[in-house]
Amino acid sequence: MTRFNPFRPHSIVHPGMFAGRYDEMIALEKALFQTRNGNPTHFLIDGERGIGKSSLLVNVEGVAKGTFEPLEDPLRLNFITVNVCLDAAHTYSDIIRGIGSELRRQIASREQIKEFARGAWEFLSKWEIGGVRFRDDKRREAKDTELAEELTFAIARSLDSLGTGVDGVVILVDEADKPPASANLGSLMKLLTERLRLRGCDRVCIGLAGLPTLREKLRASHESSLRLFNVFALNPLSAEECMEVLRRGLAEAKDVNGFEVKITDEAARSLAFITEGYPHFVQQFAYCAFDADSDNNIDIDDLSKGAYAENGALKQLGLKYFEKQYFDQIWSDEYRQVLQVMAKHFDHWVTKAEIRKEALRLKASTLDNALSALKTRGIIAAKKGTKGTYKLPSRSFAVWIRAYTQTEELIASTPPGQAAAPDASNRDSAGPDSPVS
Ligand SMILES: Nc1ncnc2c1ncn2[C@@H]1O[C@H](COP(=O)(O)OP(=O)(O)O)[C@@H](O)[C@H]1O
Ligand SMILES: [Mg+2]
């Protein structure tokens, strides 16, 4: 029988299943409150892929525009919000124009806006039509500054026209790590916030989200730009919060299906344990366990089946997040063994000597080859200035390798209430002399 599966490994979490992030939400609500009262507080959300940045951003957006109730304040907010997502092809002026067009649309939909303020946005069409690219750097720079200037002017005019009816403007920029260094996001932010202040536009706040590399990118673009932002680094959910995701999902399924699907305590605990609280892992494992279950009671077997099936959770996550790193680029089991040993140390630095000690079956020369190949392909990082010290690029990659290389029995033997995963055992290790293609 086909049942509605409530878990969403592929999309931003909807409010019904949004779990945890309580401290962040309270702090972000405060930032909105400050902005509303003329003390704009910009923020930056960073963390690994799949940790829940976009989901948090959407939740903040909902609170800002009054769709969701704030956690603490009884008062619903009424900001004009825009949420733009950047990509690797975005230039400096693309970013401003993208924000501008989205804002214009949002503002134009407000009835109260006066004609003169509508007119303030005409610069966008003008720029779009005359979107000439200047070869000469000086002229291009002047044009970029002018564009930021016009955007600020249009925002100021519109806010004046709307009066106290709105709380202000919230500009959300997702995947802000994506544009190349030449897009100069740090300078752009600096310029934009400065111009807004000069024009007395003090009810506008900017929120960025991106990978941890975003901070470095901002700093490289403009030294003090990072200081404009309150930084929130997202961590995995706690075991209790994972359970909350499961509870909420199953409650939603009950509503839609008209009957209950339960999960055993053991399976729930085990799921929190192997996923280590990574929200994208939680959604994917829960989705597959739900899918594998046939008696409306998700147990350890369903979890295990869902995880290891041909197209199960681990495969899906691998394809979506790590396949390039783990499969495409590495053909040999020796390489995988090295990764498995490194995964025991999560994303901490490990020396070659340590790896050697733990990967006993690897010959010294094989280990050398493996490390240098993994390094060249960007699968592991080498510590600058310290010879023979390496780490995995992200903690979630380590968690995935550990889960992937665990035997299924290990899922079943989750120690109650424990936070760290058991040692990965060699699930698919080949002999030391198998060919390296
Ligand atoms: N707080 C949360 N509670 C439950 N699920 C979440 C939460 N945050 C994220 N998720 C889920 O995790 C996955 C990745 O979330 P997303 O916001 O796209 O991460 P990011 O933007 O950091 O890559 C999605 O499937 C989403 O539904
Ligand atoms: Mg995202």
Side-chain angles (χ1 to χ4, degrees):
M1 182 189 39
T2 315
R3 303 169 305 175
F4 166 73
N5 191 330
F7 300 102
R8 317 272 163 94
H10 312 293
S11 63
I12 287 172
V13 74
H14 60 297
M17 219 194 290
F18 188 77
R21 307 295 182 226
Y22 185 80
D23 292 348
E24 287 87 356
M25 278 310 292
I26 296 283
L28 290 165
E29 278 176 23
K30 283 189 180 142
L32 295 176
F33 186 81
Q34 292 300 322
T35 304
R36 180 170 177 263
N37 289 291
N39 179 15
T41 306
H42 312 296
F43 56 87
L44 184 159
I45 298 168
D46 81 3
E48 293 181 34
R49 281 180 70 203
I51 197 79
K53 301 176 293 296
S54 302
S55 298
L56 181 58
L57 219 50
V58 163
N59 238 53
V60 174
E61 186 184 8
V63 171
K65 65 180 178 198
T67 339
F68 309 152
E69 226 171 282
L71 289 176
E72 268 197 333
D73 228 311
L75 195 78
R76 286 213 185 209
L77 296 170
N78 182 23
F79 277 93
I80 291 166
T81 62
V82 296
N83 190 341
V84 296
C85 190
L86 304 186
D87 66 46
H90 273 110
T91 64
Y92 188 101
S93 52
D94 289 339
I95 299 174
I96 298 190
R97 263 183 289 160
I99 294 173
S101 317
E102 228 2 73
L103 257 175
R104 174 176 55 181
R105 254 173 12 97
Q106 296 296 332
I107 289 177
S109 67
R110 306 262 170 165
E111 305 273 306
Q112 323 90 301
I113 190 156
K114 302 202 181 77
E115 261 335 293
F116 77 91
R118 278 187 212 282
W121 292 90
E122 269 164 18
F123 80 98
L124 279 174
S125 353
K126 211 167 61 206
W127 286 87
E128 273 153 17
I129 296 161
V132 250
R133 300 225 184 280
F134 289 101
R135 291 247 171 71
D136 164 3
D137 273 355
K138 277 241 158 48
R139 282 181 70 197
R140 210 200 58 219
E141 240 168 61
K143 198 178 155 167
D144 286 347
T145 316
E146 214 182 304
L147 197 49
E149 189 73 55
E150 298 239 32
L151 175 64
T152 325
F153 173 71
I155 296 176
R157 271 276 178 106
S158 303
L159 279 178
D160 273 352
S161 162
L162 289 165
T164 48
V166 295
D167 288 331
V169 170
V170 176
I171 299 170
L172 301 170
V173 182
D174 201 0
E175 313 229 343
D177 57 282
K178 289 264 176 73
S182 60
N184 254 324
L185 189 67
S187 304
L188 194 162
M189 289 299 147
K190 185 84 184 158
L191 185 68
L192 203 55
T193 50
E194 254 164 26
R195 294 296 140 115
L196 285 165
R197 206 177 49 226
L198 286 175
R199 283 200 185 275
C201 241
D202 48 10
R203 291 184 293 140
V204 180
C205 93
I206 302 175
L208 304 182
L211 297 178
T213 49
L214 172 58
R215 283 193 241 177
E216 207 26 67
K217 265 197 166 158
L218 285 175
R219 213 183 282 121
S221 161
H222 192 293
E223 195 153 358
S224 65
S225 63
L226 189 56
R227 272 181 258 146
L228 298 168
F229 299 94
N230 263 344
V231 177
F232 298 91
L234 294 189
N235 291 313
L237 302 172
S238 70
E240 192 35 59
E241 288 161 351
C242 294
M243 308 281 192
E244 185 63 26
V245 176
L246 297 174
R247 265 196 298 275
R248 293 193 187 192
L250 294 178
E252 189 186 335
K254 187 179 172 190
D255 275 351
V256 176
N257 291 319
F259 55 83
E260 197 172 14
V261 176
K262 291 188 181 149
I263 184 163
T264 66
D265 221 37
E266 189 190 25
R269 252 188 302 112
S270 189
L271 191 147
F273 176 74
I274 17 174
T275 59
E276 297 220 8
Y278 279 96
H280 54 329
F281 289 12
V282 174
Q283 296 283 350
Q284 186 73 63
F285 275 79
Y287 183 91
C288 292
F290 189 99
D291 194 51
D293 165 62
S294 56
D295 60 358
N296 299 333
N297 187 34
I298 301 170
D299 59 14
I300 282 285
D301 282 344
D302 299 322
L303 178 64
S304 181
K305 239 191 291 167
Y308 291 106
E310 175 63 26
N311 287 306
L314 284 159
K315 183 70 182 292
Q316 296 299 324
L317 288 168
L319 287 170
K320 235 188 303 174
Y321 292 94
F322 313 115
E323 175 90 351
K324 273 241 145 339
Q325 302 178 15
Y326 200 61
F327 295 116
D328 285 6
Q329 308 194 350
I330 314 162
W331 307 278
S332 91
D333 289 327
E334 284 88 352
Y335 291 7
R336 293 189 197 189
Q337 266 187 59
V338 173
L339 290 175
Q340 267 169 263
V341 168
M342 291 185 69
K344 291 188 191 176
H345 302 264
F346 292 103
D347 58 348
H348 300 140
W349 294 109
V350 201
T351 63
K352 189 164 98 184
E354 284 172 299
I355 301 174
R356 185 87 212 273
K357 235 181 359 208
E358 293 172 45
L360 282 176
R361 281 173 301 158
L362 282 191
K363 283 195 296 207
S365 59
T366 315
L367 178 58
D368 283 344
N369 288 343
L371 285 171
S372 100
L374 291 168
K375 196 179 97 182
T376 316
R377 290 169 188 151
I379 297 164
I380 60 175
K383 192 170 187 174
K384 281 201 191 93
T386 316
K387 221 174 154 254
T389 308
Y390 308 91
K391 68 176 186 133
L392 294 174
S394 72
R395 195 172 178 281
S396 59
F397 186 35
V399 170
W400 180 79
I401 295 173
R402 291 162 70 117
Y404 189 76
T405 52
Q406 260 171 33
T407 59
E408 292 166 36
E409 297 82 71
L410 273 164
I411 287 198
S413 65
T414 308
Q418 193 168 319
D423 278 359
S425 68
N426 296 335
R427 197 171 136 82
D428 54 0
S429 52
D433 292 314
S434 61
V436 178
S437 64

